[in-house]
Amino acid sequence: MTQDALKAMAAQAALEYVTPGEIVGVGTGSTVNHFIRLLAGMKVPVKGAVSSSDASTALLRAAGIATFDASEVQALALYVDGADEIDPRGCMIKGGGAALTREKIVAALARRFICIADASKRVPVLGNFPLPVEVIPMAASRIARQFAAGVCGAQGQATLRLKNGQPLITDNGQHILDVSGLRITDPLAFESAVNQWPGVVTVGIFAHQRAQICLLGTPQGVQTLRFDV
Ligand code: 5RP
């Protein structure tokens, strides 16, 4: 089975948690794109979605699903999103699609966060995937030096993410640093520490906001992981 087929399986499994007529929180990425396609095919549709990126908003609208601004809703029953890495406690690295800030905002609105991913995303320790950090551009060099100096016992090399040879600009008008070489053994402490650095908009560790459930597409079927949050 291809990785994409495993992603589609996980997205299909998430549909069972969606209540028709509700507003659902929708993440970003290729796994979520399957979820959006499946949401659009529901017999009794959802009322709409709060989206975590301009890219997902465009897909939702093209699929005929109404989108609501995060500030228009007080709470969501459900947020569904992908991940770049998931550790044994359910802590995640996210932001491969540069949408990490809005993903944290929408996740914070939701009572239940369901992560959908293919089995390759499960890792013993976070950090093999370069950690995305959204930063205010004028702080980028200093933040890169701070990662090189080390945080919570982990040192990393930060690289400015480019698109077509230019710094990638996020939906929030900021830059992304991708930090490689990290081995994050205490994701909660790491997230708390980096959050304090001036100029950091969002660090792509989701430890304080872990998913309660992870639906993993595997060649043997969908595996459901439940995390105590
Ligand atoms: C986007 C994300 C995605 O959820 C993450 O990158 C996983 O993407 P994909 O589903 O394409 O593997 O955090 O910012």
Side-chain angles (χ1 to χ4, degrees):
M1 278 180 103
T2 65
Q3 188 181 20
D4 195 55
L6 299 177
K7 291 180 180 195
M9 271 171 58
Q12 175 76 52
L15 213 57
E16 286 173 27
Y17 295 83
V18 177
T19 306
E22 75 178 357
I23 299 177
V24 59
V26 172
T28 299
S30 55
T31 316
V32 166
N33 292 349
H34 286 295
F35 180 67
I36 292 173
R37 174 178 50 79
L38 294 162
L39 263 188
M42 282 174 70
K43 275 200 190 107
V44 183
V46 289
K47 181 174 176 188
V50 175
S51 162
S52 65
S53 64
D54 291 347
S56 287
T57 299
L59 270 184
L60 285 158
R61 289 185 181 158
I65 299 172
T67 57
F68 294 84
D69 193 87
S71 57
E72 288 181 273
V73 301
Q74 294 206 345
L76 296 166
L78 178 66
Y79 177 61
V80 177
D81 200 357
D84 298 302
E85 285 186 349
I86 307 149
D87 82 0
R89 287 166 290 181
C91 299
M92 295 175 282
I93 285 183
K94 291 184 44 53
L100 60 165
T101 297
R102 295 188 186 194
E103 290 171 348
K104 269 194 190 174
I105 293 169
V106 185
L109 280 171
R111 285 189 289 279
R112 183 183 248 179
F113 181 168
I114 295 185
C115 170
I116 51 175
D118 68 89
S120 72
K121 305 294 182 74
R122 204 173 177 193
V123 297
V125 178
L126 299 179
N128 202 32
F129 188 92
L131 174 68
V133 185
E134 184 165 359
V135 299
I136 305 283
M138 70 176 284
S141 301
R142 206 195 67 80
I143 291 168
R145 288 196 296 276
Q146 210 157 352
F147 276 115
V151 50
C152 296
Q155 288 172 302
Q157 297 76 47
T159 309
L160 185 64
R161 194 182 298 186
L162 302 178
K163 187 178 179 184
N164 303 325
Q166 297 297 317
L168 177 141
I169 307 292
T170 68
D171 290 351
N172 312 306
Q174 310 302 340
H175 288 174
I176 297 278
L177 291 175
D178 291 305
V179 189
S180 57
L182 295 169
R183 192 169 182 277
I184 303 166
T185 53
D186 187 346
L188 274 171
F190 189 100
E191 182 181 10
S192 298
V194 177
N195 270 337
Q196 304 302 319
W197 296 355
V200 167
V201 178
T202 301
V203 55
I205 297 284
F206 283 57
H208 291 283
Q209 277 171 271
R210 288 179 296 154
Q212 283 88 5
I213 295 176
C214 179
L215 302 170
L216 274 189
T218 81
Q220 292 74 39
V222 175
Q223 189 181 358
T224 303
L225 310 174
R226 293 178 192 278
F227 304 106
D228 295 329
V229 175

